[in-house]
Amino acid sequence: MAAPVQSPVDTQSASTQTMTIGKALNNGLRAAMEADPKVLVMGEDVGKLGGVFRVTDGLQKDFGEHRVLDTPLAESGIVGTAIGLAVRGYRPVCEIQFEGFIFPAFDQISSQLAKLRYRTQGKLKAPVVIRVPFGGGIGAVEHHSESPESLFSHIPGLKVVSCSNPVDAYWMMQQAITSDDPVMLFEPKKLYHSSALKAPVDTTATPDPLHSSRVVRHGDSATIAAYGPSLPVALDAATAAQEEGRSLEVIDLRTLSPLDLGPVFESVRRTGRLVVVSEASSEVSLASEVAARVQQECFYSLEAPVQRVTGFDTPYPPAKLEEHFLPDLDRVLHAVDNALDW
């Protein structure tokens, strides 16, 4: 089992800072750029503005316009340019301003970036990171609240991860940048500046492996698996269930491709029940894959069918309706009830 998330401490060392997820991502980028002059940051408004969510704030001022590049509004061009830079020995970090705008770059990502190492039999590397703010909950207009992570997790050659806390945000950014394979980092935009999720980050700690899931709360009544923006909802459900005498184990999947389901299998073999929570639609999704794999590997341990709590199989709704679309505490607890009452 992977090591637990760093716990808050009363007295912080010089190497420990309390950060939001957004600040941790910024510091992770900064650390990677200080460690390797070949690391570049590129995207729409990432330079002078510091990104629309301020994740790249201050980087252009400190590292210069030659390393933090404001690009035209052309996602295909951003990723295509990054591929060329990677072939020439750089490690570009691309920001897609909002996940709904990524699809003009889909061909570059799926046909070129994901296949480059395989196509060249390993002669060429593809150390490109694509940062994707994703998910709902910010009251935005169309194309600004999507959850397309399942689409990219289906593409062989891509690695896909998602952070849910400042510690993972800080370390995942650096681990993704040092990878010689392309990594898509899905960042839960509604959690960027959440004061409730502020946590101390030890910048000298040994991080968990990039492609590993983690038990973040232990329990024995049922298991909840979630990632990214859905992880706080899962933890809230576990807290609420505890008041009713139900002990829920919560697992942060963290890595979406490849999936690390070992801890999930181990947990389900003890609890006999699983609820998977995700903002993405349920059809042909990561939630579907987790459910299928658990039922394949843990069939004789299951006491109930795997429950899925997801966004609905519709386009993302207008902002005034999004609270009805996103998985919430009531929906997760209802799924837990269904599993326990089976």
Side-chain angles (χ1 to χ4, degrees):
M1 184 181 299
V5 177
Q6 298 168 13
S7 301
V9 292
D10 294 330
T11 303
Q12 296 184 12
S13 67
S15 64
T16 302
Q17 302 176 48
T18 297
M19 308 179 196
T20 61
I21 289 176
K23 184 63 174 176
L25 290 165
N26 178 283
N27 284 11
L29 271 169
R30 183 177 297 276
M33 295 181 77
E34 290 173 347
D36 185 351
K38 293 290 188 179
V39 176
L40 308 177
V41 174
M42 55 194 299
E44 299 160 11
D45 299 318
V46 299
K48 291 181 180 179
L49 182 65
V52 294
F53 296 105
R54 303 299 186 265
V55 171
T56 56
D57 189 39
L59 296 181
Q60 189 179 78
K61 175 179 176 292
D62 293 341
F63 293 97
E65 295 182 5
H66 65 293
R67 293 190 64 192
V68 182
L69 298 84
D70 282 315
T71 68
L73 276 67
E75 287 77 14
S76 180
I78 293 169
V79 176
T81 301
I83 295 170
L85 286 166
V87 170
R88 297 295 294 177
Y90 291 91
R91 292 185 177 272
V93 181
C94 305
E95 177 183 300
I96 302 298
Q97 195 169 82
F98 286 90
E99 72 294 295
F101 301 144
I102 198 170
F103 296 103
F106 192 87
D107 178 54
Q108 290 283 3
I109 295 170
S110 62
S111 300
Q112 307 302 329
L113 181 60
K115 293 179 172 60
L116 185 61
R117 296 199 76 186
Y118 186 84
R119 180 186 296 142
T120 64
Q121 297 182 330
K123 293 182 177 66
L124 294 179
K125 299 175 182 179
V128 176
V129 176
I130 302 178
R131 294 183 42 241
V132 188
F134 83 120
I138 63 169
V141 296
E142 189 178 26
H143 305 310
H144 291 70
S145 300
E146 314 292 330
S147 295
E149 61 271 20
S150 294
L151 290 173
F152 294 97
S153 297
H154 290 168
I155 300 173
L158 286 182
K159 294 183 176 180
V160 183
V161 296
S162 183
C163 56
S164 66
N165 61 79
V167 174
D168 278 349
Y170 179 77
W171 289 112
M172 279 183 164
M173 178 67 76
Q174 296 174 74
Q175 291 168 314
I177 290 170
T178 58
S179 172
D180 287 333
D181 292 306
V183 179
M184 298 189 70
L185 176 55
F186 280 85
E187 305 166 2
K189 66 170 84 77
K190 71 179 178 184
L191 304 182
Y192 273 143
H193 306 296
S194 170
S195 58
L197 294 180
K198 277 187 176 180
V201 178
D202 183 352
T203 59
T204 62
T206 300
D208 288 345
L210 180 61
H211 298 293
S212 62
S213 57
R214 180 197 297 122
V215 177
V216 295
R217 178 169 177 145
H218 294 279
D220 53 27
S221 299
T223 303
I224 304 179
Y227 60 89
S230 298
L231 204 279
V233 180
L235 289 169
D236 287 346
T239 299
Q242 188 70 43
E243 297 175 0
E244 300 176 353
R246 295 173 170 181
S247 173
L248 304 183
E249 184 146 292
V250 180
I251 298 176
D252 186 350
L253 293 175
R254 300 178 74 249
T255 176
L256 310 182
S257 181
L259 283 164
D260 174 31
L261 295 182
V264 179
F265 297 154
E266 180 183 340
S267 178
V268 171
R269 289 184 180 120
R270 287 187 293 99
T271 67
R273 295 169 173 85
L274 175 65
V275 177
V276 187
V277 185
S278 167
E279 288 190 11
S281 300
S282 64
E283 292 288 330
V284 197
S285 65
L286 284 161
S288 304
E289 177 66 13
V290 173
R293 293 274 297 280
V294 166
Q295 291 181 139
Q296 179 180 353
E297 297 293 331
C298 306
F299 182 80
Y300 291 106
S301 299
L302 285 169
E303 300 291 341
V306 175
Q307 308 290 309
R308 289 181 291 166
V309 183
T310 67
F312 299 110
D313 295 315
T314 67
Y316 197 87
K320 65 181 179 181
L321 297 176
E322 69 177 350
E323 66 180 273
H324 303 291
F325 179 92
L326 297 171
D328 60 13
L329 179 63
D330 288 340
R331 288 177 60 195
V332 175
L333 289 175
H334 180 67
V336 171
D337 287 343
N338 285 343
L340 291 171
D341 294 342
W342 190 265

